[in-house]
Amino acid sequence: MTHLFNRIRQARRGASLSQSELAFAVGVARSAVAQWERKDGARPTTDNMAKIAMATAVSFEWLATGRGSRWVGGGSEDDGHETPAMMLNFYAQCGLEERLLVAFRSLRNPEQQPLVDFVEAMTARA
């Protein structure tokens, strides 16, 4: 079984993200990601581990423990028989949603709120 620091690195590389890009997605400094990927480095909080899993499309259970399927929804390198402790199903279902999510995630939290308010107001009128 791999160590947490290796699983974080594998997840990041598997998602083709730099340390800076993962840091941005999680909302931390790049140095935090560098620490998480060091053998003797700091460990991310549970909240940050969930954000890492979501940003890299790996299952939370695999990231946290090394057990279960690596990829959300199973994967070819696992037997897929274990049920993940947490399913991260907040991914785009079409190209338009993907574009929206990518743009939304590039905004800082204070910039995201007015956009969410606007979309909720639009859906309330529909």
Side-chain angles (χ1 to χ4, degrees):
M1 188 177 309
T2 60
H3 295 280
L4 176 61
F5 71 94
N6 277 329
R7 290 191 303 275
I8 293 171
R9 183 179 302 127
Q10 289 172 6
R12 177 181 59 79
R13 288 180 177 169
S16 300
L17 295 173
S18 68
Q19 287 184 341
S20 295
E21 290 168 329
L22 180 59
F24 183 81
V26 175
V28 297
R30 188 208 58 81
S31 60
V33 175
Q35 278 292 314
W36 299 338
E37 292 185 0
R38 289 183 47 162
K39 183 177 182 178
D40 58 348
R43 295 175 56 96
T45 64
T46 302
D47 183 51
N48 283 340
M49 290 222 324
K51 291 176 183 178
I52 294 167
M54 185 174 289
T56 59
V58 298
S59 75
F60 180 83
E61 181 179 18
W62 175 82
L63 185 64
T65 68
R67 294 188 307 262
S69 175
R70 176 177 176 179
W71 306 108
V72 173
S76 59
E77 69 180 89
D78 302 308
D79 62 10
H81 290 94
E82 294 186 31
T83 302
M86 176 178 157
M87 283 300 293
L88 300 171
N89 57 0
F90 298 104
Y91 294 96
Q93 297 177 6
C94 68
L96 193 57
E97 277 187 32
E98 182 178 351
R99 287 178 49 207
L100 184 62
L101 281 172
V102 168
F104 180 79
R105 289 177 179 167
S106 71
L107 299 172
R108 295 178 190 264
N109 194 307
E111 298 165 329
Q112 291 174 339
Q113 190 60 53
L115 184 56
V116 171
D117 293 341
F118 172 75
V119 171
E120 287 177 344
M122 292 293 294
T123 59
R125 287 194 284 161

